[in-house]
Amino acid sequence: MDTRTPPPERSPWLPFESRRRARDEKREAVLRTAVQLFLEQGYHRATLNEVADRLNITKPALYNYFRSKEDILFECWTIGQERVEDRIAEIAAADESGLVTLQMLVRAYAAIMASTFGASLVRFNVADLSEPNQKATLAGKRRIDRAFRNAIKQGIADGSVKPCDVKLTAFAILGALNWIGHWYKPGGELSPEQIANDFASRLTADIAKRPAKKPAEKKATKPVRKK
Amino acid sequence: MDTRTPPPERSPWLPFESRRRARDEKREAVLRTAVQLFLEQGYHRATLNEVADRLNITKPALYNYFRSKEDILFECWTIGQERVEDRIAEIAAADESGLVTLQMLVRAYAAIMASTFGASLVRFNVADLSEPNQKATLAGKRRIDRAFRNAIKQGIADGSVKPCDVKLTAFAILGALNWIGHWYKPGGELSPEQIANDFASRLTADIAKRPAKKPAEKKATKPVRKK
DNA sequence: CGCGTATATTACCCAAGGGTAAGAAAAAGT
DNA sequence: ACTTTTTCTTACCCTTGGGTAATATACGCG
């Protein structure tokens, strides 16, 4: 009767064990478990009891770290969003041509979409957030959109990209990218990096002015981890 | 206090009015109202009471037409899926080259994605369906996927399409298309037909062997309505 | 008209699950 | 050791909303 199955993820709350880890680490663990569950079962079907169970704690303990379920959802989204915006800032700082910038954006965004928090940007329903949080997500989406559109515009201006409808081009590219968050499953044949590289050339092939050669892959095997 | 707003959609149940319309018409009205609400607020936030209210009836009346809320959700999905599959069958029967077939598929699918039931294929969460219904949706998605992949394969075989990774190409195209269901809003600048035509050439430009000319638009102004 | 059937309504049930109150159990401070 | 603070648990509350039972109303038909 006491053959309890081990928790699916290494948890800071080991049963009958030392629980002295730092607060932030625990917060993060909650988020990781929650995203996972939200993605698996959907936000509404996933219960806080289940989240707590996976962490070897009980539901009310979660309220030491978050004020509500929606709070958790929003933080998951925030993490994904921040990762994207960090990369966007980096890429903007590189100050490359429009086409290269676009390709870098595609590669970065694709890789993030193939991660748990990245997928949460696309798999969660905006309607499940409070009104102020909805505003925040909307603003975030717009910033991403603008980054892509700006790269395309710049490319047209600097001659690296063929003239085209900027808005629809961005929609098409972002659509293909966002969809990754729906089909990508960790154990598949393709690694996130492979997908990212493939999409970087694929999605820019038709608007690249030069005969679309593969976008430069600096340090493809060991991508720079920031921070 | 009795300035009651008129129901947002013409409903077969006009208050104090003749309610003798055919059963199927009512079923359909329920579905239309339900999809609308599910898309607006998400499946879980939308209540059956609200669906009923919009139709000038009460919740239990809905159970004359559907066995459960999930039943309604699934039927919404089914309608969208059938529309897609009907068009796929038509296009397959046309027996064009791989490239043209692909372009026809893109155009048809894009137009459907910009409709309510079409969007429901993408905006609803599979996890909200019963297990058998999940199976059904999965099988449906696979059939759509196969149609696109087959067109690409055929195109490579008949020389109308450049050799490419069939799977990823299909993912990219379907991603861009599915995303329409997330951003398209009826009152926008672009009509579904415009989007469909644009995407048909845009998404096939890079893999078309001939210098990508616009796909043939037979009867562009007045598309054939089936049945 | 009266009877059966389909369709709606009112009134209710009840499970699920987010959230809270009160207090135990550690951890940390002194 | 004693107190204080943080963390976690047990026990509970309570709204929400899908679903049902019983019943009323309209419709079709002989």
Side-chain angles (χ1 to χ4, degrees):
Chain A
M1 195 57 93
D2 65 85
T3 53
R4 50 196 90 178
T5 54
E9 190 191 343
R10 255 307 161 257
S11 151
W13 293 271
L14 295 175
F16 305 101
E17 272 288 45
S18 65
R19 310 175 166 174
R20 63 204 72 138
R21 305 262 218 130
R23 182 179 178 82
D24 286 349
E25 245 177 284
K26 294 187 185 172
R27 250 185 88 93
E28 261 188 57
V30 172
L31 289 175
R32 273 202 313 275
T33 308
V35 194
Q36 197 64 44
L37 246 161
F38 291 170
L39 290 178
E40 281 172 23
Q41 316 187 354
Y43 175 65
H44 288 280
R45 304 194 89 78
T47 71
L48 291 185
N49 270 320
E50 216 170 336
V51 173
D53 273 355
R54 288 204 185 177
L55 293 163
N56 294 109
I57 53 174
T58 57
K59 181 174 61 175
L62 297 174
Y63 285 82
N64 276 311
Y65 305 98
F66 302 93
R67 283 194 315 258
S68 67
K69 191 186 184 186
E70 191 240 304
D71 207 27
I72 297 177
L73 182 70
F74 181 64
E75 283 236 23
C76 291
W77 176 87
T78 303
I79 291 175
Q81 182 69 22
E82 276 174 0
R83 289 193 188 168
V84 173
E85 298 204 21
D86 284 355
R87 301 289 281 119
I88 287 178
E90 274 177 46
I91 291 167
D95 199 36
E96 297 274 359
S97 75
L99 178 62
V100 172
T101 301
L102 181 61
Q103 288 170 335
M104 289 169 84
L105 284 174
V106 171
R107 197 179 312 123
Y109 194 80
I112 293 175
M113 265 302 134
S115 73
T116 345
F117 286 107
S120 74
L121 291 177
V122 173
R123 301 266 296 275
F124 295 160
N125 195 336
V126 192
D128 291 329
L129 293 169
S130 71
E131 210 254 328
N133 286 347
Q134 283 189 31
K135 284 248 173 76
T137 59
L138 206 64
K141 281 183 204 305
R142 264 201 292 268
R143 283 194 296 274
I144 294 174
D145 210 50
R146 212 175 44 212
F148 277 79
R149 290 192 196 186
N150 282 346
I152 297 168
K153 270 186 219 153
Q154 192 199 323
I156 296 174
D158 67 26
S160 58
V161 166
K162 290 183 201 160
C164 60
D165 183 314
V166 174
K167 187 171 135 190
L168 280 180
T169 304
F171 273 158
I173 291 176
L174 275 166
L177 289 173
N178 283 330
W179 198 240
I180 295 173
H182 281 96
W183 58 259
Y184 176 75
K185 297 282 178 299
E189 306 171 13
L190 292 160
S191 73
E193 284 73 25
Q194 284 176 300
I195 295 168
N197 285 324
D198 183 288
F199 271 50
S201 53
R202 177 185 303 281
L203 299 180
T204 57
D206 59 326
I207 57 168
K209 209 145 200 176
R210 302 289 146 175
K213 72 162 195 266
K214 284 200 188 81
E217 274 183 43
K218 333 174 180 175
K219 315 181 188 173
T221 50
K222 190 169 174 294
V224 190
R225 271 281 163 265
K226 195 202 165 191
K227 182 165 186 258
Chain B
M1 199 55 91
D2 64 271
T3 53
R4 53 195 88 178
T5 54
E9 188 189 345
R10 256 306 163 258
S11 151
W13 294 271
L14 296 174
F16 305 101
E17 271 289 46
S18 66
R19 308 176 167 176
R20 63 204 71 141
R21 306 259 219 132
R23 183 180 177 82
D24 286 349
E25 247 176 281
K26 295 187 186 170
R27 252 185 85 94
E28 262 188 56
V30 173
L31 289 175
R32 274 201 312 276
T33 307
V35 193
Q36 197 65 44
L37 247 161
F38 291 170
L39 289 179
E40 282 172 21
Q41 316 187 352
Y43 175 66
H44 287 278
R45 304 194 89 77
T47 70
L48 290 186
N49 270 320
E50 214 170 339
V51 173
D53 273 354
R54 288 206 185 175
L55 293 163
N56 295 112
I57 54 175
T58 56
K59 181 175 60 176
L62 297 174
Y63 285 82
N64 276 310
Y65 305 99
F66 301 93
R67 285 194 314 254
S68 66
K69 192 186 185 188
E70 190 238 306
D71 207 27
I72 296 178
L73 182 70
F74 182 63
E75 283 237 22
C76 292
W77 177 87
T78 303
I79 290 175
Q81 182 71 21
E82 276 174 359
R83 288 193 187 168
V84 173
E85 298 205 20
D86 284 357
R87 303 287 283 118
I88 286 178
E90 273 177 49
I91 291 167
D95 199 35
E96 297 273 359
S97 75
L99 178 62
V100 172
T101 302
L102 180 61
Q103 288 171 334
M104 290 169 83
L105 283 174
V106 170
R107 196 181 310 122
Y109 195 80
I112 293 175
M113 265 302 133
S115 73
T116 345
F117 287 106
S120 74
L121 292 178
V122 173
R123 302 265 296 275
F124 296 159
N125 195 337
V126 192
D128 291 328
L129 294 170
S130 70
E131 209 255 327
N133 285 347
Q134 284 191 30
K135 282 249 173 77
T137 60
L138 205 66
K141 282 184 203 305
R142 264 201 293 266
R143 283 194 296 275
I144 294 175
D145 209 52
R146 213 177 42 210
F148 278 79
R149 291 192 194 185
N150 282 346
I152 297 169
K153 267 186 223 159
Q154 191 199 324
I156 296 174
D158 67 25
S160 57
V161 166
K162 290 183 202 160
C164 59
D165 183 315
V166 174
K167 187 171 136 190
L168 280 179
T169 304
F171 273 157
I173 291 175
L174 274 166
L177 290 172
N178 284 329
W179 198 240
I180 295 173
H182 281 96
W183 57 259
Y184 177 76
K185 295 284 178 299
E189 306 171 12
L190 293 159
S191 73
E193 284 73 26
Q194 285 176 297
I195 295 168
N197 285 325
D198 182 287
F199 270 51
S201 54
R202 177 185 303 281
L203 299 181
T204 57
D206 59 326
I207 58 168
K209 207 143 202 180
R210 302 289 146 177
K213 72 165 197 268
K214 284 197 188 83
E217 276 184 41
K218 329 173 181 178
K219 311 177 189 173
T221 51
K222 191 169 173 291
V224 191
R225 273 280 164 266
K226 195 202 163 191
K227 182 163 183 252

